[in-house]
Amino acid sequence: MRRVSAPYIAGPTLDDARRTVVSLNAEGKRATIDVLGEEVHSEAEAQAIAAAYADVLAAIATDGLDANVSVKLTGLGLKVDVDLCRSLLETLVRDAAARGSFVRIDMEDASCVDDTLALYRSLRAAGLENVGIVLQAYLKRTHTDIADLRDLRPSVRLCKGIYVEPSSIAFQDHEVVRRSFVSCLDTLFEGGSRVAIATHDESLLGESLARVASLAHGAYEFQMLLGVRESRAGELVAAGHPLRVYVPYGQRWYEYSLRRLQENPQMAGVIARATLARAIGRS
Ligand code: FDA
């Protein structure tokens, strides 16, 4: 598992993440740093994750990195105590604001969506602007969520969605998910949202490139995962597009990788293919 996961995780320590971001920045790529540690079961664990994020924000400022942070709310205790989670998240976002940085709230499985959107809305109501959310194109509710959030002109990372969800709430067909992605993208741009287009899917990259051609750089960026389609990411940067790489680090790499595989067994094939492509010099 360690060997298979290695290209996708910066390493166990913050210094590993710093080094990774320095080299990404040197290639003209921005980064967003994720502290591995979702699904904590106690207040103490949630506090520890929050403290790790404070260290990340400090490191970004000290090193002058072109990076922000991505956070999973279950890591800040969403399933332990919503009020604790809100308090830790608000402290993190205020810390980031004071440093001129930004916090992206990752979206987890469907049981987290209502609470995540409510917490996001409450931060915005408190006047915090340096925070964004993630919406998943595979969820049937996402079009309604976009309409409900329109008054906030949210900063949105749009992705397909990684969790295994039932057909009652999530599109299962790959083409339908792609169509939903494109239509969500159109609606978000129409509503004036800044969109982080998070995909490695060539057909979605093509659809997105056609749409961003007439947009200012501040209106969008592409996002990819560390270790995935790196040469394609380089091409986007070379063509002048803003691109951010998701950089996970932490001691809990094993749980993270295992959970990803358990949640989506197809990832095993995807990872194996990417490893093979890497071995024979393609990506
Ligand atoms: P698709 O799965 O079709 O991948 C297209 C191609 O990219 C594959 O054929 C393969 O070549 C390559 N590829 C994709 N993933 C790979 C991998 N892990 N290893 C090796 N090769 C891979 N989801 C979520 O539910 N909540 C979230 O908050 C986020 N956040 C997020 C941030 C960023 C920056 C990205 C890029 C993605 C996410 N995701 C996510 C994950 C997202 O929902 C989705 O599961 C993956 O991006 C895979 O979908 P693609 O659109 O890339 O297409």
Side-chain angles (χ1 to χ4, degrees):
M1 179 67 88
R2 184 188 288 275
R3 191 166 44 80
V4 165
S5 303
Y8 311 106
I9 292 167
T13 69
L14 176 53
D15 278 346
D16 294 318
R18 290 166 111 143
R19 274 192 294 275
T20 301
V21 174
V22 166
S23 71
L24 288 168
N25 286 172
E27 295 169 8
K29 299 168 181 170
R30 307 164 176 174
T32 185
I33 300 177
D34 167 51
V35 180
L36 295 176
E38 60 205 278
E39 289 240 41
V40 302
H41 301 287
S42 70
E43 179 171 345
E45 282 181 295
Q47 299 273 11
I49 297 282
Y53 271 102
D55 291 345
V56 173
L57 288 175
I60 289 170
T62 304
D63 295 0
L65 302 175
D66 189 349
N68 59 33
V69 295
S70 288
V71 62
K72 289 185 174 53
L73 293 189
T74 58
L76 296 183
L78 185 68
K79 302 283 190 184
V80 178
D81 175 353
V82 175
D83 289 335
L84 165 75
C85 180
R86 190 195 187 288
S87 159
L88 294 175
L89 178 64
E90 181 166 348
T91 301
L92 176 67
V93 175
R94 288 194 186 282
D95 185 3
R99 298 175 184 280
S101 191
F102 180 87
V103 177
R104 175 77 59 191
I105 306 171
D106 285 347
M107 190 59 85
E108 300 175 74
D109 69 75
S111 73
C112 299
V113 176
D114 281 334
D115 283 339
T116 301
L117 295 182
L119 285 178
Y120 170 73
R121 192 171 266 287
S122 82
L123 291 181
R124 292 292 307 276
L128 293 163
E129 300 285 332
N130 62 317
V131 57
I133 40 160
V134 176
L135 294 174
Q136 299 156 321
Y138 69 0
L139 287 187
K140 294 177 179 175
R141 60 176 286 172
T142 294
H143 281 87
T144 308
D145 289 334
I146 292 172
D148 290 347
L149 290 162
R150 196 178 167 102
D151 58 309
L152 296 177
R153 290 183 64 198
S155 167
V156 175
R157 175 197 295 150
L158 180 63
C159 65
K160 287 182 181 173
I162 187 102
Y163 301 87
V164 175
E165 303 289 4
S167 59
S168 53
I169 60 166
F171 303 119
Q172 308 290 320
D173 181 271
H174 293 307
E175 269 314 311
V176 176
V177 174
R178 283 196 183 104
R179 282 203 295 277
S180 172
F181 190 107
V182 173
S183 125
C184 287
L185 186 61
D186 285 340
T187 313
L188 286 165
F189 280 142
E190 278 160 25
S193 274
R194 184 171 192 282
V195 187
I197 304 164
T199 184
H200 319 91
D201 182 326
E202 197 53 44
S203 94
L204 289 182
L205 288 174
E207 297 279 2
S208 305
L209 284 165
R211 284 160 173 80
V212 302
S214 58
L215 294 178
H217 275 183
Y220 75 96
E221 68 183 15
F222 288 98
Q223 293 195 349
M224 293 192 180
L225 300 173
L226 182 67
V228 179
R229 301 211 68 193
E230 288 170 336
S231 60
R232 186 68 178 106
E235 286 168 16
L236 290 170
V237 171
H241 297 286
L243 178 128
R244 189 176 302 274
V245 177
Y246 190 96
V247 177
Y249 87 91
Q251 302 288 344
R252 294 181 62 177
W253 62 270
Y254 181 81
E255 292 99 314
Y256 173 83
S257 308
L258 197 60
R259 196 172 298 115
R260 290 282 92 74
L261 287 173
Q262 284 167 340
E263 280 158 356
N264 187 355
Q266 288 175 343
M267 286 287 288
V270 167
I271 289 173
R273 279 198 304 281
T275 305
L276 185 63
R278 185 176 271 271
I280 61 175
R282 293 185 284 115
S283 67

